Amino acid sequence: MSDNLQVLLLDDEPIVGRRLKPALAKIGCEVEVFEDPEAALARMAQKEFDVVVTDIRMDQIDGMQVLEFVRDRWPRSKVIMITGYAMMSLAREAMEKGAFDFIAKPFKPDDLRRVIAKAAKALGSSLDFEAVEMEKANG
């Protein structure tokens, strides 16, 4: 098994996965990106991910259902919800149901990296996020 943090990223907007996968890979995450919630659930039925990042609002299967699936099947996994500003009440509900954290759109890759680093720490793992920050600060 890899020492890298295993992350599943689910968002029905393809741009989100294309932008965030390389950003998370830079800090040592192994990322699998899904746009289809059904495909993501099928993958999560086979494999435990350390961190699951999911959009709340999606067609057919929404982020709350993804959260419930992960909480039932992989209680150790940390679930981070992505939400729009209009969905803050739903984000709070997600926190009550066991989500680790949520992040509001629009956000920058560093915002998500910080939340994932926090989740990694909660799992007893560490990420190279600070090293990346130092590298950026030093030019």
Side-chain angles (χ1 to χ4, degrees), residues 1 7-8 21 45 49 51 54-55 89 97 108 119 121 130:
M1 188 171 158
V7 177
L8 183 140
K21 185 176 182 179
F49 288 85
V51 177
T54 180
D55 196 359
S89 62
K97 288 187 173 181
K108 294 182 176 153
K121 193 172 177 182
E130 284 160 20

Side-chain angles (χ1 to χ4, degrees), residues 20-86:
L20 295 178
K21 185 176 182 179
L24 297 177
K26 264 189 196 173
I27 59 170
C29 297
E30 284 186 24
V31 185
E32 293 188 32
V33 176
F34 292 86
E35 294 161 25
D36 176 6
E38 279 188 45
L41 288 179
R43 182 64 176 136
M44 287 186 280
Q46 301 170 334
K47 178 181 173 180
E48 179 180 13
F49 288 85
D50 298 307
V51 177
V52 174
V53 181
T54 180
D55 196 359
I56 287 184
R57 172 78 78 179
M58 294 178 289
D59 292 337
Q60 296 169 350
I61 298 171
D62 68 19
M64 297 301 280
Q65 291 169 287
V66 173
L67 171 64
E68 286 170 15
F69 178 87
V70 174
R71 300 304 309 154
D72 285 348
R73 182 146 185 124
W74 308 110
R76 178 187 157 274
S77 299
K78 303 298 179 196
V79 180
I80 298 167
M81 314 298 286
I82 300 174
T83 181
Y85 283 117

Side-chain angles (χ1 to χ4, degrees), residues 4-5 20 22-29 103 107-121 125-138:
N4 292 341
L5 201 70
L20 295 178
L24 297 177
K26 264 189 196 173
I27 59 170
C29 297
I103 188 164
F107 59 87
K108 294 182 176 153
D110 270 357
D111 298 333
L112 181 60
R113 285 194 285 224
R114 273 190 201 93
V115 175
I116 288 185
K118 203 166 73 171
K121 193 172 177 182
S125 178
S126 64
L127 284 179
D128 232 358
F129 181 71
E130 284 160 20
V132 171
E133 288 287 289
M134 293 286 285
E135 186 180 302
K136 281 171 34 182
N138 294 329

